[in-house]
Amino acid sequence: MTELDLLYTDIEDDLRNVVRAVLAAHCDPGAVTALYDGDRSLVASLWKSVAVDLGLAGLLIPEDRGGAGASAREAAVVLEELGRFVAPVPFLTSAVVATTLLLGTDGPLLGQLAAGERTAALVTPFSTCAHGTFPTVSLGPDGLTGSITSVAGALEADVLMVPAEGPDGVAVYAVPADRAEITPVISLDMTRQLADITFDAVAGEQVVLHGESAVRRALEAGTALLASEQYGVARWCLDETVGYLKERRQFGRVVGGFQAIKHRLADLYTAVESANAAARYAAATLAADDADATVAAAVAQAFCGDLAVLAGEEAVQLHGGMGMTWEHPAHLYLKRAKADQIAFGTGGAHRSRLAELVDIPGPR
């Protein structure tokens, strides 16, 4: 383990400001809420702004492959802002998970992802833990056959990265999305809607020969950086709730002045700051390829997943009846937090994994 600087750099602060300005201009909460009524028109236009106009689709891709050559630290800053706006874009699934999977490959697909010309998704259930088992489709003489359920990012993807079991083990195949049957699923978080995918003897191009290790590496990157999105969700909930309670009056005084409310917000503030530290450390170890990266990812996901849900619940409750209404965005954040809580493995799975990594007895 090396000593890592967890403070934000000037470049990261500038990146945050740019991303926040674009999201403030193009990611209106009303348009995000419309996703729950089936209007997904925001997704494509916002993804173009983020992926192409800002060039963030290629953030983790080396410059000689057409990307920005940045690290997981910068990607984490972007995810913090995407979480702060519950932005419905496939940055996590395409620019982080699918891109990490392809970093060692030589084909043109990585450059196309970097340019924002195509968007990819790894075909595993969103709940798949990097260290657990994951389903695959079958590779036969006629092509790929099988079904995978609850896949994130598939609805926005042009190409699907499909783990397939063949005679030589698991390999990953790139399949154009229009060759698969993709069925949208009514999801708790419609800002990251899941889909069930079926392949019926479809042809694909093998892009990763030793697929199991590559898939696990991609999922672990997603695990580590999802914590930054969860921190962004929690940060918005805390900031908005504090701002509201500083103005809302009841019984002739400001609601935020009641001692019990102060204690709840102080506890939440402490927890959110702790989440920031855990998420930053996970991103920093991932960026540095540090030996502690796996431990850091497990710690971050075990803590930040539950904390984001707590922050969402506090935001809804402390906004009173208004927080329960369709017009207020607090429910968007609680749903994103609840869905993220089981993404890439539950908190219990990460705590069990952490117990193994640091050699202490886990829960039985």
Side-chain angles (χ1 to χ4, degrees), residues 148-169:
I148 306 293
T149 61
S150 302
V151 177
L155 296 179
E156 297 82 21
D158 304 299
V159 58
L160 303 172
M161 313 307 299
V162 188
E165 183 80 37
D168 300 322

Side-chain angles (χ1 to χ4, degrees), residues 32 49 63 87 119 168 219 226 255 314 343:
V32 178
S49 298
E63 291 180 281
T119 301
D168 300 322
L219 291 174
L226 176 63
V255 173
E314 290 288 69

Side-chain angles (χ1 to χ4, degrees), residues 79-124:
L79 281 163
E80 288 177 17
E81 293 308 306
L82 295 177
R84 182 183 284 269
F85 286 82
V86 285
V89 293
F91 181 84
L92 178 68
T93 52
S94 181
V96 173
V97 175
T99 293
T100 301
L101 178 76
L102 292 168
L103 280 178
T105 64
D106 296 326
L109 182 54
L110 197 62
Q112 294 167 349
L113 295 183
E117 297 171 355
R118 304 180 83 181
T119 301
L122 174 62
V123 182
T124 55

Side-chain angles (χ1 to χ4, degrees), residues 93 119-126 135-138 144-163 173-185 193-203:
T93 52
T119 301
L122 174 62
V123 182
T124 55
F126 196 33
T136 60
V137 301
S138 300
L144 305 174
T145 300
S147 297
I148 306 293
T149 61
S150 302
V151 177
L155 296 179
E156 297 82 21
D158 304 299
V159 58
L160 303 172
M161 313 307 299
V162 188
Y173 291 78
V175 177
D178 56 8
R179 294 182 187 173
E181 179 183 340
I182 300 177
T183 305
V185 175
Q193 189 173 5
L194 306 180
D196 296 340
I197 305 176
T198 298
F199 302 93
D200 185 11
V202 302

Side-chain angles (χ1 to χ4, degrees), residues 7-31:
L7 298 178
Y8 295 105
T9 66
D10 292 341
I11 293 176
E12 290 166 354
D13 286 336
D14 290 342
L15 175 62
R16 176 193 309 285
N17 292 335
V18 170
V19 175
R20 184 175 297 185
V22 168
L23 293 175
H26 300 289
C27 190
D28 177 73

Side-chain angles (χ1 to χ4, degrees), residues 102-279:
L102 292 168
L103 280 178
T105 64
D106 296 326
L109 182 54
L110 197 62
Q112 294 167 349
L113 295 183
E117 297 171 355
R118 304 180 83 181
T119 301
L122 174 62
V123 182
T124 55
F126 196 33
S127 58
T128 302
C129 183
H131 305 285
T133 59
F134 59 86
T136 60
V137 301
S138 300
L139 174 64
D142 297 327
L144 305 174
T145 300
S147 297
I148 306 293
T149 61
S150 302
V151 177
L155 296 179
E156 297 82 21
D158 304 299
V159 58
L160 303 172
M161 313 307 299
V162 188
E165 183 80 37
D168 300 322
V170 176
V172 178
Y173 291 78
V175 177
D178 56 8
R179 294 182 187 173
E181 179 183 340
I182 300 177
T183 305
V185 175
I186 302 300
S187 310
L188 175 65
D189 175 22
M190 291 295 281
T191 66
R192 184 180 281 138
Q193 189 173 5
L194 306 180
D196 296 340
I197 305 176
T198 298
F199 302 93
D200 185 11
V202 302
E205 177 189 359
Q206 186 184 85
V207 289
V208 181
L209 177 59
H210 302 293
E212 181 166 343
S213 59
V215 168
R216 296 193 185 286
R217 185 170 61 252
L219 291 174
E220 185 156 293
T223 301
L225 293 181
L226 176 63
S228 293
E229 178 183 292
Q230 290 163 326
Y231 163 69
V233 168
R235 188 81 230 183
W236 181 93
C237 293
L238 174 65
D239 292 346
E240 288 296 313
T241 304
V242 169
Y244 172 72
L245 294 176
K246 287 168 69 176
E247 297 180 357
R248 177 78 167 96
R249 300 183 69 85
Q250 200 168 42
F251 307 118
R253 57 182 295 189
V254 174
V255 173
F258 289 101
Q259 194 70 13
I261 299 295
K262 289 181 179 177
H263 285 173
R264 285 177 66 170
L265 293 175
D267 289 344
L268 184 59
Y269 172 81
T270 304
V272 170
E273 289 298 305
S274 299
N276 186 20

